[in-house]
């Protein structure tokens, strides 16, 4: 079977419902052989959405090595990256570095990385802020789409997607978030109302959510994410076997039934705030 796909936003290309996350072995240095195995397995399995960021250790370089060895794969892959720069000139420099490391002429999606505070939001949208660089990159063809990512404060992320001319948002999608609220209801709804693509992250909670003794498996958590109305769910992988498992779930992305979901939510509910560790203080 082929991995199921969805349109990226209302008019974008189709991307696979599961994507290769930038965590796992890709967020390392000096593990080129292992990283190559993961990227190559993702490409050969039909996964088309590839996640990365300047902040993710050697991730961009690993992708660059892959594209230099397999240039024929580029057209089938939706390649993304991110910049945490808040100032215009720093963001422009980050994009030049990203394209150089990856050996690419352009990205499919470039994202404003890890938006956390109102102060950052105001800095980014100021006349000399990074948002200007992102818009220019899209207008000039250095990236097809631009987006924002955040997992700290849903109110700040909501303000960004309501006021910035973005194509996509990357946010946490997991049972803890469904219980706490914010990202998976108000932010997702606002993004979809604007026709934006919604990418789910923190699906496994950096693997902290996996508890086989309680029946909480990677498969269950990924299926939970794919039960939501998101474009794709990204998951970091550390081996070709994990990639194969991810691809298989993308081929059969049936939502959880009501009993499965109720049991999962009941397990998370007493600990939801502590399990949303990436938010900081709630």
């Amino acid at each position: 079977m082929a991995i199921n796909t969805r349109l990226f936003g209302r008019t974008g290309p189709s991307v696979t419902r599961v994507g290769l996350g930038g965590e796992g072995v890709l967020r390392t240095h000096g593990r080129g052989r292992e990283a190559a195995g993961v990227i190559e397995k993702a490409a050969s399995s039909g996964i088309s959405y590839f996640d990365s960021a300047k902040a993710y250790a050697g991730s961009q370089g690993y992708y660059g090595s892959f594209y230099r060895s397999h240039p024929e794969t580029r057209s089938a892959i939706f390649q993304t990256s991110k910049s945490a720069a808040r100032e215009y000139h720093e963001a422009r420099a980050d994009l030049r570095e990203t394209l150089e490391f990856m050996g690419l002429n352009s990205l499919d999606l470039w994202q404003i990385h890890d938006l956390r505070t109102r102060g950052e939001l105001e800095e980014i949208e100021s006349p000399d802020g990074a948002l200007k660089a992102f818009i220019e990159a899209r207008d000039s063809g250095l990236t097809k789409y631009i987006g924002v990512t955040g997992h700290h404060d849903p109110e700040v992320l909501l303000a960004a997607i309501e006021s910035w001319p973005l194509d996509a948002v990357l946010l946490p999608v997991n049972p803890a978030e469904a219980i706490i609220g914010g990202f998976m209801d108000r932010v997702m709804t606002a993004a979809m109302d604007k026709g934006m693509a919604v990418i789910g992250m923190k699906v496994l909670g950096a693997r902290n959510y996996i508890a086989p003794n309680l029946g909480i498996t990677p498969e269950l958590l990924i299926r939970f994410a794919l039960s939501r109305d998101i474009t794709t769910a990204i998951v970091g992988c550390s081996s070709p076997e994990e990639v194969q498992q991810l691809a298989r779930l993308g081929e059969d992305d049936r939502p959880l039934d009501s009993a499965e979901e109720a049991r999962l939510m009941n397990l998370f509910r007493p600990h939801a705030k502590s399990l949303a560790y990436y938010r900081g203080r709630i």
Side-chain angles (χ1 to χ4, degrees), residues 80-197:
T80 81
S81 197
K82 315 180 188 82
S83 167
R86 300 324 191 204
E87 189 266 339
Y88 172 77
H89 292 291
E90 291 179 355
R92 282 173 56 91
D94 278 357
L95 181 56
R96 287 194 297 269
E97 180 182 300
T98 289
L99 294 175
E100 181 180 352
F101 275 31
M102 289 190 171
L104 302 177
N105 295 320
S106 66
L107 294 172
D108 294 292
L109 172 65
W110 190 35
Q111 299 153 293
I112 297 169
H113 194 186
D114 195 13
L115 179 64
R116 295 192 175 207
T117 68
R118 291 277 177 179
E120 289 180 332
L121 185 140
E122 292 169 2
E123 183 180 6
I124 291 165
E125 66 186 15
S126 71
D128 295 320
L131 181 60
K132 178 182 175 183
F134 277 77
I135 294 171
E136 286 182 357
R138 181 176 59 189
D139 290 347
S140 67
L142 291 177
T143 184
K144 291 187 181 74
Y145 304 101
I146 60 173
V148 65
T149 84
H151 54 67
H152 195 76
D153 187 336
E155 296 301 323
V156 173
L157 195 61
L158 179 63
I161 66 171
E162 286 183 335
S163 60
W164 295 351
L166 303 172
D167 304 299
V169 62
L170 172 64
L171 47 73
V173 177
N174 58 58
E177 285 299 332
I179 292 162
I180 297 167
F183 287 116
M184 288 179 59
D185 41 33
R186 295 177 58 230
V187 178
M188 278 183 60
T189 299
M192 288 187 289
D193 285 347
K194 292 188 69 175
M196 294 168 59

Side-chain angles (χ1 to χ4, degrees), residues 229-281:
D229 194 18
I230 61 175
T231 308
T232 188
I234 58 172
V235 179
C237 296
S238 294
S239 69
E241 291 75 24
E242 290 181 2
V243 174
Q244 187 172 17
Q245 180 184 47
L246 179 63
R248 187 171 64 250
L249 290 165
E251 293 171 354
D252 184 10
D253 61 352
R254 289 173 296 173
L256 297 182
D257 64 38
S258 57
E260 288 176 308
E261 179 150 336
R263 181 179 181 278
L264 185 60
M265 297 290 276
N266 286 336
L267 288 169
F268 271 75
R269 188 166 284 109
H271 314 288
K273 287 186 177 181
S274 61
L275 288 170
Y277 60 91
Y278 45 78
R279 280 203 186 198
R281 189 173 181 179

Side-chain angles (χ1 to χ4, degrees), residues 20-44 47 50-52 56-70 77 79 235-244:
L20 180 61
E23 302 283 348
V25 73
L26 298 187
R27 195 167 185 172
T28 65
H29 288 293
R31 296 175 65 182
R33 181 176 296 180
E34 295 163 87
V38 163
I39 296 170
E40 289 169 7
K41 184 63 176 179
S44 66
I47 293 173
F50 283 13
D51 176 67
S52 185
Y56 292 172
S59 172
Q60 296 184 144
Y62 292 150
Y63 280 121
S65 296
F66 169 74
Y67 287 125
R68 282 187 286 274
S69 300
H70 306 280
I77 292 169
Q79 183 63 59
V235 179
C237 296
S238 294
S239 69
E241 291 75 24
E242 290 181 2
V243 174
Q244 187 172 17

